[in-house]
Amino acid sequence: KNPTRTLMIHSMILPLFILILLSSFSQPCLGGGVRIGVIGGGISGTFVSKYLVDLDDDCSLEELTIFDPNPLGEFINTDEEWQGSRVSTYRLDDGRVVELGASVLTDQFKLIVEMAKGDGNLTVGPPFFTGVNETKRDGMVIYNGNGQVMFNTANSTTSTFQALAWRYNMDLLKLYRITSKMIEQFDAMQDMLLEKNNYFFESPNEMWDEANLGPFVDMSMADLCDYLWIPQELPWWRRLLPGQGSIRNELLESMLLVNYNQGNSQINAVTALGSFSASSHSKLHSIVGGNDQLISSAFEQAQKTRSTKCPDDKSNVVSHSQERVSTVVGSLDGFEVFASDGSKLGHYDIMVLAAPLAMSRVEFLINSQIDNSVLQPMPMGGLVENAEDTRYAQDHEGHNPLPHHLSKAATRTYTQVVTTLVRHAELQHDYFSIDPDHIPRVIVFTQKGKASEYSITSIAQISPKDGLYKIFSSQPLTLDLLQKIFGPSVTMEYEKIWGGKHGGATPDYQGTGSDSTEFLLYDGATGFSGHTTSGGLYYPNSLELSFACIELSAMGAKAVAKLIAKRLSWVEPEKVSELGEEL
């Protein structure tokens, strides 16, 4: 043997071995291309897919699969325990449409409007539009139960705004001014998200703090009312004036019950002011033909954008699988995804949970470090830097050896809401002690009204053509009750329960929205100082634990897409200055 030649061979092999070893940590797990799996095909899931494709300028995506048992943008009620997307539209046999969940859009919904404008087939129209032009009733009643009508704008001789201004005077002005300021800050937060290379938020709390809205996420609406000197009971001098009322107990409470089935003391101030702004500061809209078209449109736009940016790639990179994911097993190399029958659905570098964790019905596991053949629960919350503790820094590469627990909000229960559609209904005005000459289009209920009327929070006329009404309540309604309210000819067209064991409409805020979890739920690569792109589980729905609405779902999707793009080096962050004054 030639010793010199042997030494040369060894000197060549060793660096090559080191290079191969390092490359296994620096590249995604399959073939150099990135594979991303998304669980949930609602607004969050389809929007995050579109945003990821937008950010992938080098065509690095090898696969982007959305897992959802239903056709995207449709709901097939075949499983009572699977409620589907909360942006859901019911289509009657004559082609008319009724929104079952998120009903209206506003001018402030920048990301939603942007997505709608990206699809030439979508049209933004008036709110509550069934697809048929017809004259409906006008006005609103605030009902306090036991035949007590607090306020009826249908019989007002002035405009609705003038009627509200007289009834609530300075309290209405206070709310209007604080809401206007909040909208400015919220608008700036949206603009930050829309910047490609700036503002990468690790958590909802970071977003709210950057916009100086953190204190209003922390406090309940009741606390904010106290701070603004908006009392529950009228002061003596206002009781001397005719037609005065408590905006706190009437308008605010009933509005929040309709939108969230929670009152002033249960809802945080940002959520409450956001609801108030929809009627006080914006025009209301809906997508002609159904808001659920936004879901399928975002998916189709993602496919189209991919084809335009990567014309040489003929594979179906962006796809939808109707398999229901039951188990996800995470590791340094990514995630193995399994269906309920145990079959393997794929291996992915990055996963996005685009459904509420509390109702996803997915088991997240990792291999035990003691015995690789044993699976254990995934430590949600990941590992975090701990440079102050030198023992941790030496033994665990700068990271705490034990995972932080999820916040309580991450597994918070969701409130139940039942949407009931009835036809051939004639509102029994005497049941509510409403003047027959001034029957409104909408009846909303105070806390007392809800308690006295079988948990109903609102009744709205949808179409006069055949007496079509929509009712929101906390519990299913019996036919006997419906006949009392709408007469003997009423028939139940459809009932949708947002709730049960694995469902719900909105988080039970418990008076605050600050206890939210980070967008990165789990990172199997933590501890390798960024030497791997695989192993990240992201959670855009974390944002709705502070404020749930269709625009916030899109914003959570945008924030997560930007974090993933930064992780994959698709974008390079730029240093930015902080947002201006506090609210």
Side-chain angles (χ1 to χ4, degrees):
K1 295 181 180 180
N2 188 330
T4 304
R5 182 180 178 185
T6 302
L7 182 61
M8 290 177 61
I9 293 174
H10 285 175
S11 65
M12 294 173 62
I13 290 176
L14 184 59
L16 181 63
F17 175 76
I18 294 174
L19 180 63
I20 293 173
L21 181 63
L22 288 177
S23 68
S24 67
F25 292 113
S26 62
Q27 299 295 331
C29 59
L30 292 176
V34 181
R35 296 170 61 102
I36 300 177
V38 180
I39 301 174
I43 292 292
S44 294
T46 54
F47 275 51
V48 77
S49 300
K50 171 61 166 62
Y51 296 145
L52 284 168
V53 172
D54 289 342
L55 293 165
D56 179 24
D57 293 331
D58 297 328
C59 302
S60 300
L61 279 170
E62 179 180 317
E63 179 183 345
L64 176 56
T65 301
I66 298 175
F67 293 97
D68 194 290
N70 295 311
L72 297 180
E74 299 179 29
F75 175 67
I76 301 174
N77 193 15
T78 57
D79 185 349
E80 292 182 357
E81 292 191 349
W82 190 262
Q83 72 174 25
S85 172
R86 288 163 290 168
V87 179
S88 183
T89 306
Y90 181 78
R91 290 169 173 82
L92 286 86
D93 49 15
D94 59 3
R96 288 177 296 165
V97 298
V98 183
E99 300 299 338
L100 298 175
S103 300
V104 295
L105 316 175
T106 78
D107 295 332
Q108 297 154 15
F109 288 5
K110 288 186 179 181
L111 279 73
I112 294 294
V113 171
E114 178 188 61
M115 190 67 73
K117 288 182 177 179
D119 187 338
N121 296 319
L122 293 186
T123 302
V124 177
F128 316 111
F129 185 54
T130 63
V132 177
N133 290 312
E134 51 191 341
T135 303
K136 304 174 187 177
R137 294 195 186 107
D138 196 13
M140 172 190 70
V141 155
I142 299 177
Y143 186 69
N144 201 42
N146 301 315
Q148 186 181 14
V149 173
M150 305 298 288
F151 189 43
N152 186 355
T153 64
N155 63 7
S156 175
T157 57
T158 61
S159 68
T160 299
F161 176 78
Q162 289 173 322
L164 290 171
W166 171 255
R167 185 168 184 82
Y168 302 125
N169 51 76
M170 287 301 297
D171 291 342
L172 180 63
L173 179 61
K174 292 175 184 177
L175 274 180
Y176 190 88
R177 291 180 64 183
I178 194 75
T179 302
S180 298
K181 189 61 181 177
M182 189 211 73
I183 290 173
E184 290 180 17
Q185 303 295 92
F186 185 79
D187 185 70
M189 188 169 74
Q190 291 171 302
D191 290 340
M192 287 187 280
L193 274 177
L194 291 171
E195 293 188 31
K196 180 178 180 180
N197 296 326
N198 295 332
Y199 296 104
F200 295 83
F201 297 109
E202 302 291 339
S203 69
N205 288 346
E206 253 186 52
M207 293 176 65
W208 298 120
D209 290 342
E210 187 71 28
N212 294 311
L213 291 172
F216 294 86
V217 178
D218 292 341
M219 69 170 62
S220 70
M221 189 59 198
D223 290 337
L224 179 60
C225 286
D226 290 340
Y227 178 79
L228 296 174
W229 288 54
I230 298 176
Q232 285 187 305
E233 303 298 331
L234 292 179
W236 66 268
W237 61 270
R238 284 186 60 195
R239 291 198 292 269
L240 299 177
L241 301 174
Q244 296 294 288
S246 166
I247 193 172
R248 181 168 172 174
N249 289 344
E250 295 177 7
L251 187 64
L252 270 180
E253 193 91 78
S254 59
M255 175 190 69
L256 294 177
L257 289 175
V258 172
N259 293 333
Y260 295 97
N261 198 22
Q262 298 170 72
N264 292 321
S265 62
Q266 299 165 290
I267 289 286
N268 67 69
V270 161
T271 301
L273 294 177
S275 293
F276 182 72
S277 71
S279 56
S280 63
H281 289 72
S282 299
K283 287 185 178 180
L284 301 182
H285 311 282
S286 64
I287 301 298
V288 176
N291 291 340
D292 60 353
Q293 294 174 100
L294 286 164
I295 295 172
S296 55
S297 175
F299 175 70
E300 290 163 5
Q301 288 184 60
Q303 291 183 314
K304 184 177 179 180
T305 300
R306 170 71 187 197
S307 298
T308 302
K309 295 175 76 171
C310 313
D312 296 332
D313 185 358
K314 305 301 181 182
S315 61
N316 190 23
V317 172
V318 183
S319 64
H320 168 225
S321 170
Q322 289 189 242
E323 293 285 353
R324 181 179 298 173
V325 174
S326 67
T327 308
V328 174
V329 180
S331 68
L332 172 64
D333 295 323
F335 302 88
E336 291 183 324
V337 179
F338 298 90
S340 54
D341 62 1
S343 59
K344 185 176 177 179
L345 300 177
H347 190 113
Y348 297 90
D349 302 292
I350 293 172
M351 291 295 297
V352 178
L353 176 60
L357 182 62
M359 56 176 109
S360 67
R361 299 169 67 183
V362 177
E363 189 173 19
F364 293 92
L365 305 170
I366 60 170
N367 294 106
S368 170
Q369 296 180 356
I370 298 175
D371 185 348
N372 198 51
S373 64
V374 176
L375 296 176
Q376 65 184 39
M378 184 179 290
M380 298 287 191
L383 307 175
V384 297
E385 294 283 353
N386 196 333
E388 295 180 358
D389 192 317
T390 56
R391 177 172 56 86
Y392 289 160
Q394 293 171 1
D395 298 344
H396 301 279
E397 302 187 11
H399 298 274
N400 193 324
L402 296 176
H404 281 246
H405 295 294
L406 281 176
S407 67
K408 293 180 180 179
T411 54
R412 186 174 288 166
T413 58
Y414 276 54
T415 60
Q416 176 168 290
V417 173
V418 180
T419 305
T420 305
L421 300 182
V422 296
R423 296 173 84 169
H424 314 298
E426 183 176 349
L427 187 70
Q428 304 298 291
H429 56 83
D430 54 343
Y431 182 87
F432 297 102
S433 301
I434 297 174
D435 181 354
D437 295 328
H438 301 97
I439 299 176
R441 192 187 75 82
V442 177
I443 303 174
V444 294
F445 294 71
T446 65
Q447 286 280 20
K448 289 182 180 179
K450 174 187 172 184
S452 67
E453 297 300 335
Y454 308 95
S455 79
I456 295 175
T457 58
S458 77
I459 298 172
Q461 182 193 48
I462 302 299
S463 172
K465 173 184 174 181
D466 53 355
L468 181 63
Y469 278 80
K470 178 169 71 173
I471 308 103
F472 285 145
S473 60
S474 299
Q475 300 296 329
L477 306 176
T478 65
L479 182 59
D480 287 343
L481 174 61
L482 293 174
Q483 288 176 340
K484 290 179 182 178
I485 297 174
F486 297 107
S489 300
V490 68
T491 58
M492 186 180 292
E493 172 72 17
Y494 188 76
E495 179 186 78
K496 173 62 181 173
I497 300 176
W498 310 95
K501 185 178 180 181
H502 301 290
T506 57
D508 180 1
Y509 289 107
Q510 300 175 13
T512 181
S514 62
D515 188 28
S516 57
T517 191
E518 294 191 356
F519 291 120
L520 181 60
L521 273 185
Y522 170 76
D523 193 349
T526 302
F528 287 87
S529 302
H531 290 311
T532 176
T533 58
S534 303
L537 170 63
Y538 290 86
Y539 186 44
N541 289 65
S542 178
L543 189 54
E544 75 174 32
L545 300 174
S546 303
F547 181 5
C549 77
I550 189 173
E551 176 72 1
L552 270 293
S553 295
M555 291 171 66
K558 188 75 169 182
V560 162
K562 291 177 70 173
L563 288 176
I564 293 174
K566 184 177 73 168
R567 183 188 187 105
L568 298 173
S569 300
W570 291 352
V571 294
E572 291 297 329
E574 298 175 2
K575 188 175 182 180
V576 295
S577 59
E578 293 186 359
L579 184 65
E581 64 180 294
E582 293 185 7
L583 178 60

